[in-house]
Amino acid sequence: MAESELMLQAQDLNVYYGSIHAIQGVSFTVNKGEIVTLIGANGAGKSTTLNTISGLLRSKTGSLTFQGENIGGMAPHAVVRKGIIHVPEGRRIFSKLTVEENLEMGAYTRPGRELNDAIAGVFDRFPRLQERRKQVAGTLSGGEQQMLAIGRALVSRPSLLMLDEPSMGLAPILVEQVFSIIQEIHRSGVTVLLVEQNARMALSIADRGYVLETGRVVLTGPGKELLANDSVRKAYLGS
Amino acid sequence: MIVLQQLINGLQLGSIYSLIALGYSMVYGIIMLLNFAHGDIIMVGGYIALLIIGAGIHPAVAIIAAIVGCMVLACVIEKAAYAPLRKAPRISLLITAIGVSFFLENVAQLLLSANPRSFPNTAIIPTANFNLGSLNISLTTLVTLAVAIVSMALLTVLVNRTKMGKAMRAVSEDMGAAQLMGINVNRTITFTFAIGAVLAGIGAILYCCKYPQVKPTTGYLLGMKAFVAAVLGGIGSIPGAMLGGLAIGMAEVIVNALGYTTWADAVVYVILILVLLIKPTGFLGRTMSEKV
């Protein structure tokens, strides 16, 4: 990215689950137009970090700034209105609502007149969802549910899209598909913050990456560099 | 003919139970709370209507005031007593609800005395009877059925077709994910209480027209029966509450018709026990894993 305009800045986040200190002084930045990835093992604090940004959790210290505005401590629904959309781990689609209703919920913060256009846009990207628009979302396959979760995020036209383990539980061919969709979304002008266990895939599409270990950032750098880094290779890429 | 007559009586009583059961079920569906103060809201609605008509004001005003009063009261209770406990264990919430119920009953007793007051039912629905052969149907019965059907139809449209209704369903399925959609969960919960209370207010007027008296404990037994109806239908399910209400109303009327009037209330509790033993999810309830 030629211009590196700061979009999201997290500074010194400390998040606790009761007495467990899950995130310990995490700081990172996301610039406009980037794909940034957080990688790390189970329990490293990746999802906790995203939950803190989206307002589901609170940081005891530090600050969260999005496009120059302090969003630390903001309620989740208010964070959404700022243009940050979080696709949570495990997809969390509304299984008893239809595909179309799920998308309407995604567009909850948009004015009603934009609804049809926004949903049509998602159907263009994911024709399978259009075929199943009246179907209850719980009956979709895992891959389709992930498409729905991403589609549901896109209808709100986010400026920052946060994806938590979008490849989890998907067959390899679908994993590739999901990653190419993420790149497509990125090319359409959306900044992406990606949390993944599949470090190889994540780093290969990311501009920059942060490696988290037990609640701390231990390493950071451009995606390609981390991909070549010895300790990263050993710990996360299995080679 | 006698069977048909009792069937109609059962529908009348059952549709009132349905209206009230809906409030239990919707609130349970969204925050997993058995809102035991719901029955007492009905009592308050009854008193509001009674006092306003007693003051010589037009009954239409009394009806609207009772419904609005129930709605405002439910929202105040939700904000003051339940919202601060959003992250507390569910048992705290349940005990709070029981506390609110006692509070309302005792405040009513303090302000209006424990003596039952007669409800001016004829000011709301004039006495009139229609005979179809040997069938005798009162205007109250017809109005009750019509109002209940229209209310439930509107509720169904609200829940299935409107943005707020869809948000209610989304919140009741996954509160966290709903927040990530930008849904204001607190507002949605308050809205759910408001809708439940509006239905309770309508139920209150209809109930008082059928049994024209109000006392501070009016809501207790009525609330209990509606609660059993909600459980029977499958708590959390809207069509379940409608169905459960009708079933409880029918059961009560049948027991009465067979001459075991003193047993009518006991039968309702027996139904509760049987449902919990045999099919805790009720008619339409889903097997639910404990929400975290």
Side-chain angles (χ1 to χ4, degrees):
Chain A
M1 291 298 123
E3 87 286 24
S4 62
E5 187 190 325
L6 189 62
M7 184 176 237
L8 176 77
Q9 182 169 37
Q11 227 162 11
D12 190 31
L13 301 182
N14 280 286
V15 181
Y16 297 79
Y17 292 111
S19 61
I20 299 163
H21 195 174
I23 300 243
Q24 311 178 8
V26 165
S27 299
F28 64 93
T29 55
V30 179
N31 295 322
K32 195 167 191 295
E34 277 187 319
I35 298 182
V36 172
T37 182
L38 307 178
I39 61 169
N42 265 335
K46 310 183 297 289
S47 299
T48 307
T49 305
L50 293 196
N51 287 338
T52 308
I53 297 167
S54 56
L56 292 173
L57 295 171
R58 296 263 155 100
S59 174
K60 287 238 157 121
T61 58
S63 64
L64 270 170
T65 315
F66 180 69
Q67 293 182 325
E69 199 176 345
N70 175 29
I71 58 162
M74 222 179 235
H77 65 88
V79 173
V80 170
R81 285 177 189 275
K82 297 293 170 203
I84 302 180
I85 299 294
H86 178 182
V87 180
E89 191 177 355
R91 315 187 250 277
R92 305 266 290 268
I93 54 154
F94 301 113
S95 61
K96 291 192 217 65
L97 270 58
T98 65
V99 167
E100 202 163 33
E101 287 171 340
N102 265 276
L103 294 174
E104 286 171 29
M105 289 298 101
Y108 193 81
T109 54
R110 311 298 300 186
R113 63 196 140 74
E114 289 178 15
L115 186 67
N116 289 335
D117 279 355
I119 290 182
V122 171
F123 284 155
D124 280 346
R125 201 186 288 272
F126 304 115
R128 276 305 274 277
L129 295 182
Q130 181 156 28
E131 287 167 28
R132 295 169 190 257
R133 60 196 293 177
K134 296 288 177 204
Q135 210 168 308
V136 173
T139 61
L140 299 181
S141 72
E144 289 164 349
Q145 290 191 7
Q146 187 62 61
M147 305 302 161
L148 178 57
I150 295 175
R152 191 176 65 171
L154 292 178
V155 281
S156 71
R157 309 235 160 96
S159 27
L160 174 64
L161 179 64
M162 305 198 295
L163 297 158
D164 196 347
E165 304 276 6
S167 77
M168 192 172 68
L170 297 182
I173 179 147
L174 288 174
V175 173
E176 299 222 352
Q177 209 183 328
V178 164
F179 275 92
S180 73
I181 288 164
I182 294 170
Q183 285 176 294
E184 260 174 51
I185 293 168
H186 174 242
R187 273 195 296 275
S188 72
V190 180
T191 307
V192 177
L193 177 57
L194 174 65
V195 156
E196 259 295 339
Q197 290 225 40
N198 190 335
R200 188 189 307 275
M201 291 291 274
L203 289 173
S204 66
I205 68 164
D207 294 299
R208 291 185 302 115
Y210 291 84
V211 181
L212 265 70
E213 244 174 59
T214 59
R216 293 171 199 280
V217 174
V218 292
L219 201 60
T220 173
K224 302 278 176 303
E225 233 169 69
L226 290 178
L227 208 48
N229 181 294
D230 272 347
S231 58
V232 172
R233 294 181 75 91
K234 267 199 201 106
Y236 305 108
L237 304 176
S239 57
Chain B
M1 250 344 166
I2 183 110
V3 176
L4 199 57
Q5 180 75 55
Q6 295 303 341
L7 193 75
I8 291 167
N9 291 346
L11 278 179
Q12 182 191 0
L13 187 60
S15 57
I16 296 171
Y17 289 157
S18 297
L19 286 175
I20 300 163
L22 282 165
Y24 276 106
S25 229
M26 285 163 57
V27 164
Y28 185 84
I30 206 156
I31 55 169
M32 313 280 282
L33 162 69
L34 297 173
N35 181 18
F36 282 116
H38 189 59
D40 299 297
I41 290 192
I42 297 159
M43 173 270 294
V44 174
Y47 272 121
I48 293 175
L50 181 154
L51 292 172
I52 291 180
I53 294 174
I57 298 166
H58 195 276
V61 177
I63 294 172
I64 293 167
I67 293 169
V68 172
C70 286
M71 187 182 81
V72 171
L73 178 64
C75 294
V76 169
I77 292 171
E78 195 273 322
K79 281 275 168 249
Y82 303 150
L85 295 172
R86 201 77 84 216
K87 287 185 175 132
R90 277 169 53 200
I91 189 78
S92 314
L93 207 55
L94 181 69
I95 292 168
T96 306
I98 295 171
V100 172
S101 167
F102 285 153
F103 176 77
L104 291 177
E105 283 174 25
N106 286 288
V107 167
Q109 199 167 331
L110 201 65
L111 295 179
L112 300 152
S113 92
N115 298 327
R117 297 199 186 191
S118 67
F119 187 83
N121 58 331
T122 48
I124 292 177
I125 308 174
T127 316
N129 285 293
F130 304 93
N131 291 309
L132 281 160
S134 62
L135 217 57
N136 184 320
I137 305 171
S138 72
L139 184 60
T140 309
T141 304
L142 289 178
V143 170
T144 302
L145 288 177
V147 169
I149 289 169
V150 169
S151 308
M152 289 190 242
L154 287 177
L155 177 73
T156 307
V157 171
L158 174 87
V159 169
N160 290 318
R161 295 269 177 271
T162 66
K163 191 172 170 182
M164 201 60 183
K166 289 171 190 174
M168 275 167 62
R169 285 189 288 146
V171 171
S172 74
E173 184 174 338
D174 187 335
M175 200 178 282
Q179 283 178 300
L180 295 180
M181 300 297 106
I183 296 171
N184 184 335
V185 167
N186 281 327
R187 193 188 297 164
T188 310
I189 293 171
T190 307
F191 183 77
T192 306
F193 272 86
I195 296 296
V198 165
L199 295 172
I202 295 168
I205 302 286
L206 295 174
Y207 186 79
C208 292
C209 285
K210 184 170 168 60
Y211 301 109
Q213 63 161 232
V214 187
K215 55 179 190 271
T217 52
T218 289
Y220 178 76
L221 192 59
L222 180 57
M224 271 299 166
K225 286 178 181 169
F227 165 66
V228 175
V231 173
L232 176 64
I235 196 144
S237 157
I238 287 175
M242 298 176 184
L243 218 60
L246 290 179
I248 293 293
M250 281 301 177
E252 202 179 316
V253 166
I254 290 169
V255 173
N256 281 330
L258 294 175
Y260 299 102
T261 315
T262 45
W263 287 88
D265 295 343
V267 165
V268 173
Y269 293 112
V270 169
I271 291 175
L272 175 63
I273 293 167
L274 289 178
V275 172
L276 292 178
L277 282 176
I278 298 164
K279 197 170 185 301
T281 51
F283 293 145
L284 301 175
R286 49 192 195 261
T287 38
M288 250 185 302
S289 48
E290 189 83 354
K291 266 192 194 169
V292 186

